[in-house]
Amino acid sequence: MKKLSIYFIISLLLSVNSFAQKTSSEFKIQTGKEVKQPRFSSLIKIITSDESGFYVLKSDLSIVKSKEDYYIEHFTNKMIFDKSSQLTYTDKNGNKGEFINAFYIGNAIVQFFKVKDKDEKKIKIYAQKIDKNTLKPDKAIKMLIDLDYKNNDIQNTIVDASNDFSKILIAFIINTESDNKLQTFIKTYDADFNALWTLNKEFSFSKEILLENNYKIDNDGNVFLLGRTSIVNPNSKYLRDKYLDKCQFVTITHNGEEINNYTFKNNGKYINSIKMMISNDNKVVCAAYYSNYIRNIGNSAAGSICAIYDTKSEQFTVNTCRAFDSKLLAQNLSAADAQKINKKLAKGDDVEIDNLYLNDIKFLDDGSVVIFGEQSNHLSTTSCWDFYRKDIVIEKYTSDNMYFAKKIAKRQEEKGDINDRESQYISYSVLKSHNKMYIVYIDNVKNIDIYDEDNIKTVKPNDKASICYIELEENLKYVKKVLIDPEKADKIFYIQTRMSFQLSENEFILNESDDDKTRFIKISL
């Protein structure tokens, strides 16, 4: 069965529109030519675009060699494949390194890699420009970090860039003997690789922050950390009472000289999912789901934490811990199930949304912040994930302190490559243009007028599915619409989420892939 990503679906759904009120004339679609790709190739991101086209970072996982190779590829403005080059990362002494990341910085594509010198007990981070004509690394490399290490005490290495790519963050997470202490080495640079400031400090974070990678830098060079702190109760009788999680936020400002720690209120016992994003105007959004059930069993959520930090005023415009109310918990349920929920809540019992993961945070032009999560469960085999997708949970915080929440019912079963980073917990795509948001996902056409979970049908592989979209209103009200009639489709659709690159507020480059083919699509709204 040919597997199509949601982005390729968009190119088809906009040309055939027998059900939807929105006409295809509102969208302009340009599709590229299919290109063959290796079985375990994965598109990581589009690095940048220019007058000649755009540049893509890809990886290829070699099962035989047990390693991952990285490539830069160039596509023309017509989304036709032009050339590809495998990246090499060696220092001046010929020591092979490990690829970390690549960005478009100072009018050049720059790759970052690290070399571990076992003889000198040094970790070294290098920056190296990529020639856009040949896609080959330049001979000149610049060493940014030369750090001593002991054994395997460095647990993680992070290289990130600000939204405008004017600032660079390099961070090492260094293991300590305490479960709730992490030594963090941070160094920042400008776009010309001039060092700005350095910090080497111990923070009270649980080691699970290693999995979160919530280290961010804003356009002014301020650094922010979001993590989880766990307090252990040795006298607890039950496992569910052994830990108490707190969501901790750290701001490092004024060239690293001022450090502030904030602990967000948590109405539950555990923090199951956290995420941090920075807007273009340097507003930092911290989001988390909390639960009263044992962490990592079911990953359920009783409510959410949201904090919006304004870096200019150095104040929180939003700082709330909010339980999911009966209206949201019972939304889309049958009358009988909704009554059961209300009875449990009336008795004071825990009612949570199971398998809920934070996916994305969107910033609207009117100052609103929208947080997306999805119920997702998965099982892994040797080479594939088996995904089971349910509802999308949306929360919106407006600039005038209004709050809206909505749960969109859906049911999906699908498969994906085990090395596909982008598809593990998300099965829909959100397109944002100014103050409008569109959710595009796959569904059975029979579900278009069904909003209760008892009657909604699950979309499975080999089903001839319809492609739906939702245009969210300001208060998150919505109507599901069919964008392509499955009876007129000549292919069986299958979501395999990839990524998008926003050229402007109204123009996106999207990607579709199956087992051995890929192509790009340009969509203008």
Coordinates of all heavy atoms in Angstrom, one line a residue, residues 218-296:
D218 N 16.5 33.2 22.8 CA 15.6 34.2 22.0 C 16.5 35.1 21.2 O 17.7 35.0 21.2 CB 14.7 35.0 23.0 CG 15.4 36.0 23.9 OD1 16.6 36.2 23.7 OD2 14.8 36.6 24.8
N219 N 15.8 36.0 20.5 CA 16.6 36.9 19.5 C 17.5 37.9 20.2 O 18.4 38.4 19.6 CB 15.5 37.7 18.7 CG 14.7 36.8 17.8 OD1 15.1 35.6 17.5 ND2 13.5 37.3 17.4
D220 N 17.3 38.1 21.5 CA 18.2 39.0 22.3 C 19.3 38.3 23.0 O 20.1 38.9 23.7 CB 17.4 39.8 23.3 CG 16.4 40.7 22.7 OD1 16.7 41.2 21.5 OD2 15.3 41.0 23.2
G221 N 19.4 36.9 22.8 CA 20.5 36.2 23.5 C 20.1 35.7 24.9 O 21.0 35.2 25.6
N222 N 18.9 35.8 25.3 CA 18.5 35.3 26.6 C 18.2 33.8 26.5 O 17.7 33.3 25.4 CB 17.2 36.0 27.1 CG 17.5 37.5 27.3 OD1 18.4 37.9 27.9 ND2 16.5 38.3 26.7
V223 N 18.5 33.0 27.5 CA 18.3 31.6 27.5 C 17.3 31.1 28.5 O 17.2 31.7 29.6 CB 19.7 30.9 27.7 CG1 19.5 29.3 27.9 CG2 20.7 31.1 26.6
F224 N 16.5 30.1 28.1 CA 15.4 29.7 28.9 C 15.5 28.1 29.0 O 15.7 27.5 28.0 CB 14.1 30.1 28.4 CG 14.0 31.6 28.2 CD1 14.3 32.1 26.9 CD2 13.6 32.4 29.2 CE1 14.3 33.5 26.7 CE2 13.6 33.8 29.0 CZ 13.9 34.4 27.8
L225 N 15.2 27.6 30.2 CA 15.2 26.2 30.5 C 13.9 25.8 31.1 O 13.3 26.5 31.9 CB 16.3 25.8 31.5 CG 17.8 25.7 31.0 CD1 18.3 27.1 30.5 CD2 18.7 25.2 32.2
L226 N 13.3 24.7 30.6 CA 12.1 24.2 31.2 C 12.3 22.7 31.5 O 12.7 21.9 30.6 CB 10.9 24.3 30.2 CG 9.6 23.8 30.6 CD1 9.0 24.6 31.8 CD2 8.5 23.9 29.5
G227 N 12.0 22.3 32.7 CA 12.2 20.9 33.1 C 11.3 20.5 34.2 O 10.4 21.2 34.6
R228 N 11.6 19.3 34.7 CA 10.7 18.7 35.7 C 11.6 18.4 36.9 O 12.7 17.8 36.8 CB 10.1 17.4 35.1 CG 9.3 16.6 36.1 CD 8.5 15.5 35.4 NE 9.3 14.7 34.5 CZ 8.9 14.0 33.5 NH1 7.7 14.1 33.1 NH2 9.8 13.3 32.8
T229 N 11.1 18.7 38.1 CA 11.8 18.4 39.3 C 10.9 17.4 40.1 O 9.7 17.6 40.2 CB 12.0 19.6 40.2 OG1 12.8 20.5 39.5 CG2 12.7 19.3 41.5
S230 N 11.5 16.3 40.6 CA 10.7 15.3 41.3 C 11.2 15.2 42.8 O 12.4 15.1 43.1 CB 10.9 13.9 40.7 OG 10.4 13.9 39.4
I231 N 10.2 15.3 43.7 CA 10.5 15.2 45.1 C 10.1 13.8 45.5 O 9.0 13.3 45.2 CB 9.7 16.2 45.9 CG1 10.0 17.6 45.5 CG2 9.9 16.0 47.4 CD1 9.2 18.7 46.1
V232 N 11.0 13.1 46.1 CA 10.7 11.7 46.5 C 10.2 11.6 48.0 O 10.8 12.2 48.9 CB 12.0 10.8 46.3 CG1 11.7 9.4 46.7 CG2 12.5 10.9 44.9
N233 N 9.1 10.9 48.2 CA 8.6 10.6 49.5 C 9.0 9.2 49.9 O 8.3 8.2 49.5 CB 7.1 10.8 49.5 CG 6.5 10.5 50.9 OD1 7.3 10.4 51.9 ND2 5.2 10.4 51.0
P234 N 10.0 9.0 50.7 CA 10.5 7.6 51.1 C 9.5 6.9 51.9 O 9.6 5.6 52.1 CB 11.8 7.8 51.8 CG 11.7 9.2 52.4 CD 10.9 10.0 51.4
N235 N 8.6 7.6 52.6 CA 7.6 6.9 53.5 C 6.3 6.5 52.8 O 5.4 6.1 53.5 CB 7.4 7.8 54.7 CG 8.6 8.1 55.5 OD1 9.4 7.2 55.7 ND2 8.8 9.4 55.9
S236 N 6.2 6.7 51.5 CA 5.0 6.4 50.8 C 4.7 4.9 50.8 O 5.6 4.1 50.6 CB 5.0 7.0 49.4 OG 6.0 6.4 48.7
K237 N 3.5 4.6 51.0 CA 3.1 3.2 51.0 C 2.8 2.7 49.5 O 2.9 1.5 49.2 CB 1.8 2.9 51.8 CG 2.0 3.2 53.3 CD 0.7 2.9 54.1 CE 0.9 3.1 55.5 NZ -0.4 2.9 56.3
Y238 N 2.4 3.6 48.7 CA 2.0 3.2 47.3 C 2.9 3.9 46.3 O 3.4 5.0 46.5 CB 0.5 3.6 47.1 CG -0.4 3.0 48.1 CD1 -0.9 3.8 49.1 CD2 -0.8 1.7 48.0 CE1 -1.8 3.3 50.0 CE2 -1.7 1.2 48.9 CZ -2.2 2.0 49.9 OH -3.0 1.4 50.9
L239 N 3.1 3.2 45.2 CA 4.0 3.8 44.1 C 3.5 5.1 43.6 O 4.3 6.0 43.3 CB 4.2 2.7 43.0 CG 5.1 3.1 41.8 CD1 6.5 3.4 42.3 CD2 5.1 2.1 40.8
R240 N 2.2 5.2 43.5 CA 1.6 6.4 42.9 C 1.8 7.6 43.8 O 1.7 8.8 43.4 CB 0.1 6.2 42.6 CG -0.8 6.1 43.8 CD -2.2 6.1 43.5 NE -2.7 7.4 43.1 CZ -3.9 7.7 42.6 NH1 -4.7 6.7 42.4 NH2 -4.2 8.9 42.4
D241 N 2.2 7.4 45.1 CA 2.4 8.5 46.0 C 3.9 8.8 46.3 O 4.2 9.6 47.1 CB 1.7 8.2 47.3 CG 0.2 8.1 47.2 OD1 -0.4 8.9 46.4 OD2 -0.4 7.3 47.9
K242 N 4.7 8.0 45.6 CA 6.2 8.1 45.9 C 6.8 9.4 45.4 O 7.7 9.9 46.0 CB 6.9 6.9 45.2 CG 8.4 6.9 45.6 CD 9.0 5.6 45.1 CE 10.5 5.5 45.5 NZ 11.2 4.3 44.9
Y243 N 6.3 10.0 44.3 CA 6.9 11.2 43.7 C 5.9 12.3 43.6 O 4.7 12.1 43.6 CB 7.4 10.9 42.2 CG 8.4 9.8 42.1 CD1 8.0 8.5 41.8 CD2 9.7 10.0 42.3 CE1 9.0 7.5 41.7 CE2 10.7 9.0 42.2 CZ 10.3 7.8 41.9 OH 11.2 6.8 41.8
L244 N 6.4 13.5 43.6 CA 5.7 14.7 43.4 C 6.4 15.6 42.5 O 7.5 16.0 42.8 CB 5.4 15.5 44.7 CG 4.6 16.8 44.6 CD1 3.2 16.5 44.1 CD2 4.5 17.5 45.9
D245 N 5.9 15.8 41.3 CA 6.6 16.5 40.2 C 6.2 18.0 40.3 O 5.1 18.4 40.6 CB 6.2 16.0 38.8 CG 6.8 14.6 38.5 OD1 7.7 14.2 39.3 OD2 6.4 14.0 37.6
K246 N 7.2 18.8 39.9 CA 7.0 20.2 39.7 C 7.6 20.6 38.4 O 8.6 20.1 38.0 CB 7.7 21.0 40.9 CG 7.1 20.8 42.2 CD 5.7 21.4 42.3 CE 5.1 21.2 43.7 NZ 3.7 21.7 43.8
C247 N 6.9 21.6 37.8 CA 7.4 22.1 36.5 C 8.2 23.3 36.8 O 7.7 24.3 37.3 CB 6.2 22.4 35.6 SG 6.7 22.6 33.8
Q248 N 9.5 23.3 36.4 CA 10.4 24.4 36.8 C 10.9 25.1 35.5 O 11.3 24.5 34.5 CB 11.6 23.9 37.6 CG 12.5 25.0 38.1 CD 13.6 24.4 39.0 OE1 13.4 23.3 39.6 NE2 14.6 25.2 39.3
F249 N 10.9 26.5 35.6 CA 11.3 27.3 34.5 C 12.4 28.2 35.0 O 12.4 28.8 36.0 CB 10.1 28.2 34.1 CG 10.3 29.2 33.0 CD1 10.8 28.8 31.8 CD2 10.1 30.5 33.2 CE1 11.0 29.7 30.8 CE2 10.3 31.4 32.2 CZ 10.7 31.0 31.0
V250 N 13.5 28.3 34.2 CA 14.7 29.1 34.5 C 14.9 30.1 33.4 O 14.9 29.8 32.2 CB 15.9 28.2 34.7 CG1 17.1 29.1 35.0 CG2 15.7 27.2 35.8
T251 N 15.1 31.4 33.8 CA 15.4 32.5 32.8 C 16.8 32.9 33.1 O 17.2 33.1 34.3 CB 14.5 33.7 32.9 OG1 14.6 34.3 34.2 CG2 13.0 33.2 32.8
I252 N 17.7 33.0 32.0 CA 19.0 33.4 32.2 C 19.2 34.6 31.2 O 19.2 34.5 30.0 CB 20.0 32.3 31.8 CG1 19.7 31.0 32.5 CG2 21.5 32.7 32.0 CD1 20.5 29.8 32.1
T253 N 19.2 35.8 31.8 CA 19.2 37.0 31.1 C 20.4 37.9 31.4 O 21.2 37.6 32.2 CB 17.9 37.8 31.3 OG1 17.8 38.1 32.8 CG2 16.7 36.9 31.0
H254 N 20.4 39.1 30.7 CA 21.4 40.1 30.9 C 22.8 39.5 30.8 O 23.6 39.5 31.8 CB 21.2 40.8 32.3 CG 19.9 41.4 32.4 ND1 19.5 42.6 31.7 CD2 18.8 41.1 33.1 CE1 18.3 42.9 32.0 NE2 17.8 42.0 32.9
N255 N 23.1 38.9 29.7 CA 24.4 38.2 29.4 C 24.8 37.2 30.4 O 26.0 37.0 30.8 CB 25.5 39.3 29.3 CG 25.3 40.2 28.1 OD1 24.9 39.8 27.0 ND2 25.5 41.5 28.3
G256 N 23.8 36.4 30.9 CA 24.0 35.3 31.8 C 24.2 35.7 33.2 O 24.5 34.9 34.1
E257 N 24.1 37.0 33.5 CA 24.4 37.5 34.9 C 23.2 37.4 35.8 O 23.3 37.4 37.0 CB 24.9 39.0 34.8 CG 26.2 39.1 34.1 CD 26.6 40.6 34.0 OE1 25.9 41.4 34.5 OE2 27.7 40.8 33.5
E258 N 22.0 37.4 35.3 CA 20.8 37.3 36.1 C 20.0 36.0 35.8 O 19.7 35.7 34.7 CB 19.9 38.5 35.8 CG 18.6 38.5 36.7 CD 17.8 39.8 36.6 OE1 18.4 40.8 36.2 OE2 16.6 39.8 36.9
I259 N 19.9 35.2 36.9 CA 19.2 33.9 36.8 C 18.0 33.9 37.7 O 18.1 34.2 38.9 CB 20.2 32.8 37.2 CG1 21.4 32.8 36.2 CG2 19.4 31.4 37.1 CD1 22.4 31.8 36.6
N260 N 16.8 33.6 37.2 CA 15.6 33.5 38.0 C 15.0 32.1 37.8 O 14.9 31.6 36.7 CB 14.6 34.5 37.6 CG 15.1 35.9 38.0 OD1 15.3 36.2 39.2 ND2 15.3 36.8 37.1
N261 N 14.6 31.5 38.9 CA 13.9 30.2 38.9 C 12.4 30.4 39.3 O 12.1 31.1 40.2 CB 14.5 29.3 40.0 CG 15.9 28.9 39.5 OD1 16.1 27.9 38.9 ND2 16.9 29.7 39.9
Y262 N 11.6 29.7 38.5 CA 10.1 29.8 38.8 C 9.6 28.3 38.8 O 10.0 27.5 38.0 CB 9.4 30.5 37.7 CG 9.9 32.0 37.5 CD1 10.9 32.2 36.6 CD2 9.4 33.0 38.2 CE1 11.4 33.5 36.4 CE2 9.8 34.3 38.1 CZ 10.8 34.6 37.1 OH 11.3 35.8 36.9
T263 N 8.8 28.1 39.8 CA 8.1 26.8 39.9 C 6.6 27.0 39.7 O 6.0 27.7 40.4 CB 8.4 26.1 41.3 OG1 9.8 25.9 41.5 CG2 7.7 24.8 41.4
F264 N 6.1 26.3 38.7 CA 4.7 26.5 38.3 C 3.8 25.6 39.2 O 4.2 24.4 39.5 CB 4.5 26.2 36.9 CG 5.2 27.0 35.9 CD1 5.9 26.5 34.8 CD2 5.3 28.4 36.1 CE1 6.6 27.2 34.0 CE2 6.1 29.2 35.3 CZ 6.7 28.6 34.2
K265 N 2.7 26.0 39.6 CA 1.7 25.3 40.4 C 1.3 24.0 39.6 O 1.1 24.0 38.4 CB 0.5 26.1 40.7 CG -0.5 25.4 41.6 CD -1.7 26.3 41.8 CE -2.7 25.6 42.7 NZ -4.0 26.4 42.9
N266 N 1.3 22.9 40.4 CA 0.9 21.6 39.8 C -0.2 21.0 40.7 O 0.0 20.7 41.8 CB 2.0 20.7 39.7 CG 1.7 19.3 39.2 OD1 0.6 19.1 38.6 ND2 2.5 18.3 39.3
N267 N -1.4 20.9 40.1 CA -2.5 20.4 40.9 C -2.5 18.8 41.0 O -3.4 18.2 41.6 CB -3.9 20.8 40.3 CG -4.1 22.3 40.5 OD1 -3.5 22.9 41.5 ND2 -4.9 22.9 39.7
G268 N -1.6 18.2 40.2 CA -1.5 16.8 40.3 C -0.2 16.3 40.9 O 0.5 17.1 41.5
K269 N 0.1 15.0 40.7 CA 1.3 14.4 41.3 C 2.4 14.4 40.3 O 3.6 14.4 40.6 CB 1.0 13.0 41.8 CG 0.1 13.0 43.1 CD 0.0 11.6 43.6 CE -0.8 11.6 44.9 NZ -2.2 12.0 44.8
Y270 N 2.1 14.3 39.0 CA 3.1 14.0 38.0 C 3.0 15.0 36.8 O 1.9 15.5 36.5 CB 2.9 12.6 37.4 CG 3.0 11.5 38.5 CD1 1.8 10.9 38.9 CD2 4.2 11.2 39.2 CE1 1.8 10.0 39.9 CE2 4.2 10.2 40.2 CZ 3.0 9.6 40.6 OH 3.1 8.7 41.6
I271 N 4.1 15.3 36.2 CA 4.2 16.0 34.9 C 4.5 15.0 33.8 O 5.5 14.4 33.9 CB 5.2 17.1 35.0 CG1 5.0 18.1 36.1 CG2 5.3 17.8 33.6 CD1 3.7 18.9 35.9
N272 N 3.6 14.8 32.9 CA 3.7 13.8 31.9 C 4.2 14.3 30.6 O 4.7 13.5 29.8 CB 2.4 13.0 31.7 CG 2.2 11.9 32.8 OD1 3.2 11.5 33.4 ND2 1.0 11.5 33.0
S273 N 4.1 15.5 30.3 CA 4.5 16.1 29.0 C 4.7 17.5 29.1 O 3.9 18.3 29.7 CB 3.4 15.8 27.9 OG 3.7 16.1 26.6
I274 N 5.9 18.0 28.6 CA 6.2 19.5 28.7 C 6.7 20.0 27.3 O 7.3 19.2 26.5 CB 7.2 19.8 29.8 CG1 8.6 19.2 29.5 CG2 6.7 19.4 31.1 CD1 9.6 19.6 30.5
K275 N 6.5 21.2 27.1 CA 7.0 21.8 25.8 C 7.1 23.3 26.0 O 6.4 24.0 26.8 CB 6.0 21.6 24.7 CG 6.6 21.8 23.3 CD 5.6 21.3 22.2 CE 6.2 21.4 20.8 NZ 7.3 20.5 20.7
M276 N 8.2 23.9 25.3 CA 8.4 25.3 25.4 C 8.7 25.9 24.0 O 9.4 25.2 23.2 CB 9.6 25.6 26.3 CG 10.0 27.1 26.4 SD 11.3 27.4 27.6 CE 12.7 26.4 27.1
M277 N 8.1 27.0 23.7 CA 8.3 27.7 22.4 C 8.5 29.2 22.7 O 8.0 29.7 23.6 CB 7.1 27.5 21.5 CG 6.9 26.0 21.1 SD 8.0 25.4 19.9 CE 7.4 26.2 18.4
I278 N 9.2 29.8 21.7 CA 9.5 31.3 21.8 C 8.9 31.9 20.6 O 9.2 31.5 19.4 CB 10.9 31.6 22.0 CG1 11.5 30.9 23.2 CG2 11.2 33.1 22.0 CD1 13.0 31.2 23.4
S279 N 8.1 33.0 20.7 CA 7.6 33.7 19.6 C 8.6 34.6 19.0 O 9.6 34.9 19.6 CB 6.3 34.5 20.0 OG 6.7 35.5 20.9
N280 N 8.3 35.2 17.8 CA 9.2 36.1 17.1 C 9.4 37.4 17.9 O 10.4 38.1 17.7 CB 8.7 36.4 15.7 CG 8.8 35.2 14.8 OD1 9.7 34.3 15.0 ND2 7.9 35.1 13.8
D281 N 8.4 37.7 18.8 CA 8.6 38.9 19.6 C 9.0 38.6 21.0 O 8.8 39.4 21.9 CB 7.3 39.8 19.6 CG 6.1 39.0 20.1 OD1 6.2 37.7 20.3 OD2 5.0 39.6 20.3
N282 N 9.7 37.4 21.1 CA 10.3 37.0 22.4 C 9.4 36.8 23.5 O 9.7 37.0 24.7 CB 11.4 38.0 22.8 CG 12.6 37.9 21.9 OD1 12.7 37.1 21.0 ND2 13.6 38.8 22.1
K283 N 8.2 36.2 23.3 CA 7.3 35.7 24.3 C 7.6 34.2 24.5 O 7.6 33.5 23.5 CB 5.9 36.0 24.0 CG 5.5 37.5 24.2 CD 4.0 37.7 24.0 CE 3.6 39.1 24.3 NZ 4.2 40.0 23.4
V284 N 7.8 33.8 25.7 CA 8.1 32.4 26.0 C 6.9 31.7 26.5 O 6.3 32.2 27.5 CB 9.3 32.3 27.0 CG1 9.7 30.8 27.1 CG2 10.5 33.1 26.5
V285 N 6.5 30.6 25.9 CA 5.3 29.9 26.3 C 5.8 28.5 26.9 O 6.5 27.8 26.2 CB 4.3 29.6 25.2 CG1 3.2 28.7 25.7 CG2 3.8 31.0 24.7
C286 N 5.5 28.2 28.1 CA 5.7 26.9 28.8 C 4.4 26.2 28.9 O 3.5 26.8 29.5 CB 6.4 27.1 30.1 SG 7.9 28.2 30.1
A287 N 4.3 25.0 28.5 CA 3.1 24.2 28.6 C 3.4 22.8 29.1 O 4.5 22.3 28.9 CB 2.4 24.1 27.3
A288 N 2.5 22.3 29.9 CA 2.7 20.9 30.4 C 1.3 20.3 30.7 O 0.3 21.0 30.9 CB 3.5 21.0 31.7
Y289 N 1.3 19.0 30.7 CA 0.1 18.2 31.2 C 0.4 17.6 32.5 O 1.5 17.1 32.7 CB -0.3 17.1 30.2 CG -0.9 17.6 28.9 CD1 -0.6 17.0 27.7 CD2 -1.7 18.7 28.9 CE1 -1.1 17.4 26.5 CE2 -2.3 19.2 27.7 CZ -1.9 18.5 26.5 OH -2.5 19.0 25.3
Y290 N -0.5 17.6 33.5 CA -0.2 17.0 34.8 C -1.3 15.9 35.0 O -2.3 15.8 34.4 CB -0.3 18.0 35.9 CG -1.7 18.6 36.2 CD1 -2.6 17.9 37.0 CD2 -2.0 19.8 35.7 CE1 -3.8 18.4 37.3 CE2 -3.3 20.4 36.0 CZ -4.2 19.7 36.8 OH -5.4 20.2 37.1
S291 N -0.9 14.9 35.9 CA -1.7 13.7 36.1 C -1.6 13.3 37.6 O -0.6 13.6 38.3 CB -1.2 12.6 35.2 OG -1.9 11.4 35.5
N292 N -2.6 12.5 38.0 CA -2.5 11.9 39.3 C -2.2 10.4 39.3 O -2.1 9.8 40.3 CB -3.8 12.1 40.1 CG -4.0 13.5 40.6 OD1 -3.1 14.1 41.2 ND2 -5.1 14.2 40.3
Y293 N -2.0 9.9 38.1 CA -1.7 8.5 37.9 C -0.2 8.4 37.7 O 0.6 9.3 37.4 CB -2.4 8.0 36.7 CG -3.9 7.9 36.8 CD1 -4.7 8.6 36.0 CD2 -4.5 7.2 37.9 CE1 -6.1 8.5 36.1 CE2 -5.8 7.2 38.1 CZ -6.6 7.8 37.2 OH -8.0 7.8 37.4
I294 N 0.3 7.2 37.9 CA 1.8 6.9 37.9 C 2.3 7.4 36.6 O 1.8 7.1 35.5 CB 2.0 5.4 38.1 CG1 1.5 5.0 39.5 CG2 3.5 5.1 38.0 CD1 1.5 3.5 39.7
R295 N 3.4 8.1 36.7 CA 4.1 8.7 35.5 C 4.4 7.6 34.5 O 4.9 6.5 34.8 CB 5.3 9.4 35.9 CG 5.9 10.2 34.8 CD 7.3 10.6 35.1 NE 7.4 11.4 36.4 CZ 8.5 11.3 37.2 NH1 9.5 10.6 36.8 NH2 8.5 12.0 38.3
N296 N 4.2 7.9 33.2 CA 4.6 7.1 32.1 C 3.7 5.8 32.0 O 4.0 5.0 31.1 CB 6.1 6.7 32.1 CG 6.9 7.9 32.0 OD1 6.6 8.9 31.4 ND2 8.1 7.9 32.6

